[in-house]
Amino acid sequence: MLASHILAGTPKDSDEYRVILLGDSSTWGFYLENTDTLSTLLNQAGLHTRDWRQARFYNLGYPTISLTKDLLLLDRALAYQPDLIIWLVTLEAFPYEKQTFTPLVQHNP
């Protein structure tokens, strides 16, 4: 899944402050157009750091609720040298029975 993400084909520029967004369907943008997702809106805001590195936001949200799923994605995302991780999570993601419910976790033990 990550091999087809923009992160896989985008080397990190020296002036980039790379931010990874993790979470469930609300982060992913379920029922939203791509132009209305959190990552797109943050990228359009033109945010930068104090040392003028451009903040670039990458959406790794996935439309199921599971902390295990998020950790699986986070583990792989670290290879893309993020400067910041924003993990949008709720208590609904904590129950044990939700951890292996998603096929993403089931097929990546």
Side-chain angles (χ1 to χ4, degrees):
M1 184 173 83
L2 283 175
S4 64
H5 197 280
I6 191 169
L7 274 171
T10 308
K12 186 176 178 181
D13 291 329
S14 61
D15 67 342
E16 177 183 358
Y17 187 80
R18 187 168 280 187
V19 183
I20 303 290
L21 301 174
L22 289 174
D24 58 23
S25 58
S26 61
T27 305
W28 187 65
F30 203 72
Y31 291 127
L32 295 177
E33 296 294 326
N34 284 340
T35 56
D36 298 325
T37 63
L38 178 59
S39 59
T40 298
L41 295 173
L42 289 169
N43 281 322
Q44 288 175 348
L47 303 172
H48 57 82
T49 62
R50 288 183 183 212
D51 62 356
W52 293 100
R53 289 185 292 159
Q54 182 69 41
R56 299 255 187 257
F57 297 84
Y58 297 91
N59 187 349
L60 292 185
Y62 190 80
T64 58
I65 296 176
S66 165
L67 295 176
T68 304
K69 175 263 307 177
D70 291 341
L71 288 172
L72 180 69
L73 290 170
L74 174 59
D75 185 55
R76 298 301 296 251
L78 292 176
Y80 298 103
Q81 304 169 307
D83 295 296
L84 178 67
I85 305 292
I86 298 177
W87 188 0
L88 300 116
V89 65
T90 66
L91 290 175
E92 188 68 25
F94 282 75
Y96 178 78
E97 59 274 3
K98 293 200 175 185
Q99 301 316 305
T100 58
F101 178 74
T102 177
L104 185 62
V105 174
Q106 292 172 3
H107 299 298
N108 291 284

